[in-house]
Amino acid sequence: MDFRSLGISDELLEGLDAMNIRKPTPIQQQAIPAALEGRDLIACAQTGTGKTAAFLLPLIDVITGYKPKEEGSIRALVVVPTRELALQIDQQMQAIAYFTPITSIPLYGGSDGAGFDQQKQALTGGVEVVIATPGKLMSHLNLGYVPLKGVEFLVLDEADRMMDMGFIDDINRIITFLPKDRQTLMFSATMPPAIRELSKRILHDPVEITIALSKPAEGVDQQAYVIFDMQKAAILEHILNTNEATSIVIFAGRKVEVKNLNRYLQKKGFNARGMHSDLEQSEREEVMLAFRNRRLRILVATDVVSRGIDIDDIDLVINYDVPRDPEDYVHRVGRTARASRKGTAITFVNEKEMREFGRIESLIGYEVKKMPLPEAIGRGPAYAPTARVDRGGNGNGHRRKGGGRRSGSGGRR
Ligand code: AMP
């Protein structure tokens, strides 16, 4: 399944593409079509599941595709427990909505008088999406100028945390300011009775989604080498020569890489075979049998194999490249340490793959150990998973107006 088949617009697909996000996560697969249909939603999902994009994408899609109900009104309100989360969501918003004309502002406490006035100006100046902490939003609401008549979306993110932090009264008050005719999307990492009760009160016939985040088994010792691309072959050779593992799978993303690597390893005298979609069925079976019987030490394979193979005692998995899809990382790494055994999974991360790997780390919820390079390999690049990829222009804060498609003619595309 891809994002296009979920029904979102070309501008958003472009934004996702620029972020290198290609395949919807399970929560996105379930939440996006439901939200686009206009349904309310209650989703039990933790950080790391891709839940932010799961509500931002449909929300932006609808806002850019339909005329506002009320000219000048805020159209979507996202309420979150902390300023960090408000900022983080606004950053994702900016990236995803880069090719659309949507405007947004994060609203959180702690700003001085001038900051407050600026927020007031933004709130009354036609901003479409507001991402706010409850306390700060209430201080503006109490002054009476926030245009909320045309709010079409209310999102409550990390609802359980907002409850824990004592924001329930604020939330109840905020809801009294909003039109009844709106769509409400609620996200919570846990579903205690208080959240159930709140959802019954404020949601209308919601779609319920529960997502369990898949994570690598605990028995896997995960390691990463941060290296330049040209160092990969040398470090691979070093590991294969020094590691005592007898059953090794090396994953590469593309068939051509699998073929090249296999050729390289065989030339170096390693007991290796390649496994990819060009092989005849009989050849595949022969390779798998040899690997299962431990006549073959090293299997070089594409991701097709990571989901398919059923071999219990692989003791070392090497990701020659960082998988595009974090779920593929979990699948690849899951080939080792099966049935509670111990195993090792090593990933090679080059300069261009750091962001991708950082995303995997945020999805699995922890940092993978970075290994020092052997002296003979030389120095690698510094690990900088959050380094921005400069796409030019528009780096200046919250408000933006792009080219985009708002034609002024209104109505549905
Ligand atoms: P969240 O659960 O919203 O906090 O997202 C966690 C991380 O996953 C963020 O860094 C997102 O940019 C990233 N992410 C969101 N959706 C996807 C996707 N479909 N594929 C890969 N990464 C994603």
Side-chain angles (χ1 to χ4, degrees), residues 250-282:
I250 303 172
F251 285 111
R254 291 179 312 144
K255 200 157 57 184
V256 42
E257 250 161 13
V258 166
K259 289 180 182 173
N260 287 342
L261 256 177
N262 185 41
R263 217 171 298 130
Y264 172 79
L265 291 175
Q266 287 183 346
K267 220 162 88 190
K268 290 274 175 181
F270 290 105
N271 177 11
R273 298 278 299 269
M275 172 68 113
H276 48 78
S277 55
D278 280 359
L279 295 188
E280 297 288 335
Q281 185 59 26
S282 58

Side-chain angles (χ1 to χ4, degrees), residues 226 349 351 353-356 358 370 381-388:
V226 180
V349 186
E351 322 86 277
E353 294 169 319
M354 288 180 193
R355 270 166 61 92
E356 218 68 56
K370 310 297 175 310
Y383 187 55
T386 53
R388 282 183 68 90

Side-chain angles (χ1 to χ4, degrees), residues 3 19-25 28 46-53 88 92 324-326 359 362-363:
F3 281 103
M19 294 167 77
N20 249 329
I21 290 183
R22 303 248 142 70
K23 220 180 129 216
T25 62
Q28 292 161 0
Q46 276 110 10
T47 298
T49 50
K51 66 183 168 70
T52 312
Q88 224 171 291
Q92 261 202 63
R324 269 280 163 85
D325 174 1
R359 190 173 291 148
S362 65
L363 272 172

